[in-house]
Amino acid sequence: ISLLLGTTITISSNHWMMAWTGLEINTLAIIPLISKSHHPRAIEAATKYSLNQAAASALLLFSSMNNAWVTVQWDITQLTHLTSCLLLTTAVSIKQGLTPFHCGFPEVLQGSYLTIGLLLATLMKFPPTALFILTSPSLSPTLLTAMAIASAALGGWMGLNQTQIRKILAFSSISHLGWMTIILLYNPKLTLLAFYLYCLMTSAIFLTLSTTKITNLATMMTAWTKIPPLATTLMLALLSLAGLPPLTGFLPKWLIIQELTKQEMTPVATAMALLSLLGLFFYLRLAYCATITLPPNSSNHMKQWQTNKSVHISTTTLISLTIMLLPLSPMMFTTT
C-alpha cells in the first residue's frame, strides 16, 4: 500500500516537496521488503539501496530548493535554473540506475527475492521516469543523449559474462533505460510506451522465473524438466525483451529508431541499434539454456515431465501479451 501511495503522490504532484515526499515513502516501503529474509546478502542489498536513494533524495531536494531560491517557483514544470537542471538529472539518474550511476542496482537486485526484484525493476522506476517526463523541456539534450548511449553500451557489455539471472536482468534494465532516455526530449509518449512494454515483458519473465525457481544459468538448464511449455514461452519472452520481430519488444525499438531518424539523429539511431546486439547475445544465451541445452542425466533418472506445480493466470496472461502484442499496435495507436 505504501509503494502504491508513494508512486501515486509523486506522479500526480505539481509541487517539488510533494514529489520528494512520494519518493521517500517509496524508499521507506521497499527497504523492509528487500531485507526481510535476514540473509547477509539481503541486508547488504538493502543498505546499498538505502544509501543510493538517500543521496538521490538529497540531490533532488537541493535541486528544487536551489531552483525555488532563484525563480521563486516550486512548480515541477518551472525548472529553469541550469545548476538545478544538472542536479535533477543526477538525482533522477541515481533513482533509475542510469549510467554512470548504475553501480548499486545489479547488486541490489541480486540480493533480493525475484518478486522484490520485479518491484525494483518496474514499479520503483515509474516515479523517476514521470519526473523526467515532466521536466524534459528543461533538461540538457547532450547530457541525456550521452547517458543514454552509455547506458545502452554498458548494459549490453556488462551482461555478457554474467551467470546470475537477476544480474543479467539488472543490466537488461539499464540498457532499456538508455532506450527510454534517448527519446525523452523528442517524444515523451514514446518513453512512456517503452516503459510500459518493458514493465510488461519484465513482469512476465520474473514471474516465470519465480514459478520455476530459476536463479542462475545452471538451474535454467534443467527448467525444461519441470514445466516444458513454460520453458518454451520463457524463451519467447526473452527474445521479446531483446527486441526481435514479430514479438512485442520490437515495437518500442522500431518506433524510437524511426523517431530519431525523423529528428535527423541517424548516427545516434545507428549506434543504439548496434548496441542492442550486445543485449541480444546474452538474451540468446538465456534462451539457449532454457530450451535447447540438455543437462547430463543418468540412465535410471526419471525425467520430471509432469509436476503438480500450477502456473498462475497472471503469468500466462503477461507471457501472451509479451509475445503477441505487436499485431495490435495499429489499434493501440489509433486509440491513443
Side-chain angles (χ1 to χ4, degrees):
I1 292 174
S2 296
L3 282 174
L4 295 175
L5 176 65
T7 301
T8 305
I9 290 174
T10 301
I11 64 177
S12 60
S13 59
N14 291 321
H15 196 283
W16 275 114
M17 292 303 294
M18 289 300 296
W20 176 79
T21 303
L23 290 173
E24 286 301 294
I25 292 174
N26 261 3
T27 302
L28 294 175
I30 196 69
I31 287 174
L33 294 177
I34 298 174
S35 59
K36 72 174 184 177
S37 67
H38 302 292
H39 190 274
R41 188 180 291 275
I43 302 299
E44 178 188 354
T47 305
K48 288 180 178 179
Y49 188 78
S50 62
L51 291 175
N52 277 338
Q53 297 301 304
S57 295
L59 283 174
L60 182 70
L61 195 58
F62 182 62
S63 168
S64 58
M65 291 175 64
N66 191 25
N67 187 70
W69 181 272
V70 175
T71 63
V72 201
Q73 286 283 346
W74 283 97
D75 193 342
I76 291 180
T77 58
Q78 301 298 321
L79 188 72
T80 54
H81 191 244
L82 179 60
T83 305
S84 299
C85 293
L86 294 176
L87 287 173
L88 176 80
T89 304
T90 303
V92 176
S93 299
I94 296 174
K95 287 278 185 186
Q96 284 188 320
L98 267 175
T99 306
F101 309 107
H102 65 279
C103 301
F105 183 64
E107 297 296 331
V108 171
L109 211 63
Q110 177 61 29
S112 308
Y113 286 129
L114 282 169
T115 49
I116 308 304
L118 172 59
L119 292 176
L120 289 170
T122 55
L123 182 63
M124 295 300 293
K125 293 184 184 298
F126 190 34
T129 303
L131 287 180
F132 252 163
I133 290 174
L134 288 173
T135 58
S136 57
S138 307
L139 303 180
S140 168
T142 305
L143 179 60
L144 285 181
T145 301
M147 293 175 68
I149 294 176
S151 295
L154 185 131
W157 189 259
M158 294 294 290
L160 292 178
N161 63 341
Q162 301 295 330
T163 58
Q164 298 294 323
I165 305 296
R166 281 168 290 188
K167 278 195 175 182
I168 292 176
L169 291 175
F171 288 114
S172 163
S173 175
I174 294 170
S175 177
H176 278 82
L177 281 174
W179 282 88
M180 299 173 207
T181 308
I182 197 75
I183 203 64
L184 177 66
L185 298 180
Y186 310 104
N187 196 337
K189 289 183 178 180
L190 271 186
T191 299
L192 272 181
L193 176 66
F195 180 77
Y196 293 152
L197 292 180
Y198 162 75
C199 289
L200 171 70
M201 296 181 289
T202 304
S203 300
I205 291 173
F206 267 100
L207 291 176
T208 303
L209 295 175
S210 180
T211 302
T212 54
K213 301 293 187 293
I214 296 173
T215 56
N216 52 43
L217 292 181
T219 54
M220 181 174 272
M221 291 179 184
T222 60
W224 62 277
T225 63
K226 298 177 181 177
I227 309 178
L230 198 59
T232 305
T233 53
L234 175 61
M235 177 195 70
L236 293 175
L238 288 168
L239 295 180
S240 178
L241 195 60
L244 285 183
L247 303 171
T248 304
F250 176 65
L251 178 61
K253 294 187 176 182
W254 167 36
L255 294 176
I256 288 172
I257 290 177
Q258 183 181 27
E259 184 65 28
L260 288 175
T261 307
K262 288 180 182 178
Q263 298 292 335
E264 297 182 353
M265 299 176 65
T266 307
V268 175
T270 305
M272 294 296 291
L274 291 176
L275 290 173
S276 68
L277 296 176
L278 292 172
L280 177 62
F281 177 81
F282 63 75
Y283 289 123
L284 284 173
R285 186 175 63 159
L286 288 177
Y288 178 80
C289 290
T291 55
I292 303 176
T293 304
L294 300 181
N297 289 302
S298 58
S299 58
N300 59 354
H301 177 70
M302 183 178 294
K303 295 181 174 58
Q304 194 179 6
W305 283 107
Q306 300 296 329
T307 65
N308 295 323
K309 185 181 290 295
S310 60
V311 181
H312 198 270
I313 189 170
S314 61
T315 306
T316 56
T317 304
L318 288 171
I319 287 180
S320 300
L321 293 174
T322 298
I323 296 172
M324 299 184 292
L325 202 59
L326 183 62
L328 300 178
S329 55
M331 184 181 69
M332 293 164 52
F333 294 148
T334 55
T335 55
T336 57

